[in-house]
Amino acid sequence: MESLRLSSSSDKNKNDEVEYESGFGNSFESEAIPNSLPRGQNSPLICPYALYAEQISGTSFTSPRKLNQRSWLYRIKPSVTHEPFKPRLPANERLVSEFDKTNSCTNPTQLRWRPVEIPHTPTDFIDGLYTVCGAGSSFLRHGFAIHMYAANKSMDDCAFCNADGDFLIVPQKGRLSIKTECGRLEVRPGEIVVLPQGFRFAVSLPDGPSRGYVAEIFGAHFQLPDLGPLGANGLAAPRDFLVPKAWFESDSRPGFTIVQKFGGELFTARQDFSPFNVVAWHGNYVPYKYDLSKFCPYNTVLIDHGDPSINTVLTAPTDKPGVALLDFVIFPPRWLVAEHTFRPPYYHRNCMSEFMGLIYGEYEAKADGFLPGGASLHNCMTPHGPDTKTYEATIARGNEAGPHKLTDTMSFMFESCLIPRVCQWALESPAVDHDYYRCWIGLQSHFRSQETGSESNQSSQPDTTQVIARSNFAPWDKWLNVEAMVPKGLNASFLGVVAWLS
């Protein structure tokens, strides 16, 4: 039996550069020490280096093979070696995983938030995480939650485990250095990271204060959208997704705490070792990251503005074809070339609900007020679209506007078929932009009558081609059509006399 030299391997790993495997949905295998993976079977009587074999299942055992997700972890001690879980004190009262009238409310108004301030007191990722809105229930394995986080402190001597669902994290300010059971991930603003349900992880802040967005999905996993008529290439390429290589800690860690989110509540359990003690692993259930700058966008090249679904990076589907529990859509730098077209996003009412965030730059449909680190929510069938300044500037450029490249911008949207309820603290936050509605109030009527060219809000002469019988003709006005009585070729003066007699 091979022996594991814990101290030297641990020291070696601490100094290694972060390395990745590439691919999406692949079956990976990774070893921090050569030959530490069993060959020919998953769970031998004695694993190489006397490691423990432990499986983590992201789907039911009997899920179809194309959807089945699981990984085998080979670790120094199994994760079951911990004290009983107890409710965490102090609790984070602003985390929700089951949305109802007791913790959230419905609100069809367009909502927008300015960037939240970084806390002044020491706050790590766990305590800096709070729910903004969501729908459904983690207990029923269907739904989603949208959170935001603001932190200024790394997680020390603890790891977080989300038993409720998958996290998709979008950093907006400051890098995240994340340890997971499969290895390490470095995630900067402009990248995203997905931490699947059940994995233990710890977040450090190498740049200091950090802020960002988190989408959580219950009972589903993200996948790449089908490309349909686009063909075999485009949008997010599988090869650009990165998963961590095996990396482990073996030092004794008395008092190490596992913080588990379970049903939206936090529980803690103590153990005497790091959970990041996986020397080797293989499988297709694994954390991963993606650089949004590698996205290959498509756009209209002649007329009209494409639907935002053309920019989908990841989707969590429902049982209904084409309907997503949650889509992650981005609006990256790209060329705008459509002719005779209102190029910004169109005015819209949507059966889906749209939550937007801005990572950096400006969003093309909002000239003012939508700031990096801010957010907006346009709920199901709530009207939304470009603000007044954007509309007027676009119209002023006219049809002669040439090709234009959007640069230095990255915004995104979480879109869901479910109707989110909004948490009360989000509605009462000092970051709420109570004047958001005013960005559309300045939109004026530009309607002109096709026949006369007069503006609709100005008085004009009666249209002599219409029925002009009025109440003085009663009861004949119910059937009298003066126009039909006038011989063809007779000028409008005759109709004017009739109108005067009426």
Side-chain angles (χ1 to χ4, degrees):
M1 183 178 67
E2 297 160 293
S3 63
L4 179 62
R5 295 187 300 168
L6 298 180
S7 59
S8 61
S9 296
S10 179
D11 293 340
K12 174 180 178 291
N13 274 276
K14 288 178 181 177
N15 296 321
D16 283 349
E17 294 294 327
V18 177
E19 296 181 348
Y20 304 95
E21 304 275 2
S22 68
F24 188 93
N26 301 19
S27 185
F28 299 94
E29 63 175 43
S30 184
E31 298 175 321
I33 297 177
N35 302 315
S36 52
L37 275 175
R39 300 300 169 185
Q41 65 181 118
N42 294 320
S43 185
L45 178 62
I46 299 178
C47 295
Y49 297 98
L51 297 169
Y52 287 87
E54 178 179 296
Q55 182 177 205
I56 180 168
S57 297
T59 56
S60 65
F61 294 136
T62 54
S63 291
R65 179 174 286 249
K66 66 179 181 180
L67 301 176
N68 209 298
Q69 297 188 37
R70 61 89 179 96
S71 285
W72 281 90
L73 314 179
Y74 300 91
R75 55 198 318 151
I76 298 168
K77 290 184 71 173
S79 59
V80 71
T81 314
H82 62 78
E83 297 176 4
F85 281 102
K86 299 177 181 179
R88 180 177 185 258
L89 296 175
N92 186 339
E93 302 289 351
R94 298 195 301 169
L95 287 178
V96 178
S97 72
E98 188 171 33
F99 295 86
D100 55 38
K101 291 183 178 180
T102 66
N103 55 30
S104 52
C105 62
T106 55
N107 193 324
T109 299
Q110 302 94 343
L111 298 172
R112 186 163 72 183
W113 292 268
R114 292 179 289 272
V116 297
E117 297 291 334
I118 301 295
H120 297 293
T121 57
T123 305
D124 65 12
F125 178 83
I126 300 173
D127 290 319
L129 188 67
Y130 63 95
T131 309
V132 176
C133 61
S137 166
S138 65
F139 293 96
L140 300 178
R141 314 305 306 136
H142 182 64
F144 74 96
I146 294 174
H147 316 282
M148 297 183 73
Y149 70 89
N152 57 16
K153 174 180 176 291
S154 298
M155 292 170 57
D156 296 324
D157 294 319
C158 67
F160 192 30
C161 176
N162 182 11
D164 293 332
D166 290 13
F167 273 163
L168 188 161
I169 302 176
V170 185
Q172 185 273 320
K173 175 183 173 66
R175 289 177 298 156
L176 303 179
S177 180
I178 304 175
K179 295 178 185 177
T180 77
E181 291 171 276
C182 290
R184 297 175 296 171
L185 296 154
E186 296 283 345
V187 188
R188 60 175 176 79
E191 296 180 323
I192 62 168
V193 60
V194 173
L195 301 170
Q197 177 188 13
F199 275 97
R200 295 173 175 183
F201 65 92
V203 177
S204 297
L205 309 179
D207 298 332
S210 183
R211 179 174 58 204
Y213 314 84
V214 181
E216 181 182 12
I217 52 175
F218 310 137
H221 298 298
F222 288 105
Q223 61 187 48
L224 294 175
D226 291 331
L227 294 180
L230 290 181
N233 305 288
L235 306 188
R239 65 181 296 194
D240 292 326
F241 288 82
L242 301 177
V243 305
K245 285 189 174 182
W247 177 93
F248 68 94
E249 296 177 333
S250 59
D251 300 335
S252 176
R253 301 289 292 275
F256 195 96
T257 302
I258 302 298
V259 181
Q260 183 140 320
K261 188 168 84 71
F262 187 84
E265 300 180 39
L266 298 182
F267 297 83
T268 61
R270 292 166 64 91
Q271 59 188 48
D272 62 2
F273 63 96
S274 167
F276 312 118
N277 65 349
V278 177
V279 178
W281 61 269
H282 75 86
N284 63 352
Y285 191 52
V286 60
Y288 56 88
K289 76 167 192 171
Y290 176 71
D291 183 346
L292 300 178
S293 69
K294 295 183 181 297
F295 187 79
C296 178
Y298 281 73
N299 211 341
T300 54
V301 294
L302 189 61
I303 58 170
D304 288 348
H305 182 94
D307 293 334
S309 53
I310 197 66
N311 292 319
T312 301
V313 180
L314 293 169
T315 182
T318 63
D319 295 335
K320 187 180 294 185
V323 179
L325 172 65
L326 193 88
D327 280 336
F328 175 61
V329 180
I330 64 171
F331 305 97
R334 62 200 184 279
W335 281 95
L336 304 180
V337 299
E339 300 173 346
H340 310 294
T341 292
F342 186 77
R343 290 180 177 175
Y346 43 72
Y347 293 98
H348 194 203
R349 288 179 296 162
N350 194 354
C351 64
M352 308 284 275
S353 297
E354 305 176 10
F355 180 95
M356 287 198 62
L358 182 59
I359 302 172
Y360 57 84
E362 296 181 356
Y363 176 52
E364 59 184 305
K366 297 292 187 295
D368 293 318
F370 191 41
L371 304 175
S376 67
L377 175 63
H378 301 143
N379 224 320
C380 173
M381 288 302 173
T382 294
H384 54 278
D387 61 16
T388 303
K389 285 188 177 181
T390 302
Y391 177 86
E392 299 293 353
T394 303
I395 297 302
R397 283 191 287 268
N399 283 325
E400 303 307 316
H404 171 67
K405 187 177 183 181
L406 296 175
T407 59
D408 301 319
T409 180
M410 185 65 74
S411 55
F412 71 89
M413 178 170 67
F414 298 138
E415 184 180 60
S416 176
C417 66
L418 303 183
I419 301 176
R421 303 177 67 91
V422 186
C423 295
Q424 196 62 40
W425 47 82
L427 292 174
E428 297 172 353
S429 168
V432 172
D433 183 355
H434 295 286
D435 293 327
Y436 183 31
Y437 73 97
R438 294 185 181 277
C439 77
W440 295 291
I441 294 299
L443 290 167
Q444 300 295 317
S445 170
H446 298 280
F447 174 75
R448 292 181 180 275
S449 169
Q450 184 177 357
E451 291 83 1
T452 65
S454 61
E455 298 225 3
S456 62
N457 60 353
Q458 296 179 350
S459 61
S460 59
Q461 295 297 321
D463 187 345
T464 57
T465 65
Q466 304 298 315
V467 176
I468 60 171
R470 294 293 184 264
S471 59
N472 288 344
F473 282 94
W476 314 106
D477 60 356
K478 295 182 180 179
W479 57 267
L480 181 60
N481 185 329
V482 177
E483 180 187 5
M485 298 170 59
V486 179
K488 291 184 178 180
L490 196 60
N491 62 30
S493 61
F494 174 80
L495 291 174
V497 172
V498 174
W500 176 80
L501 288 173
S502 66

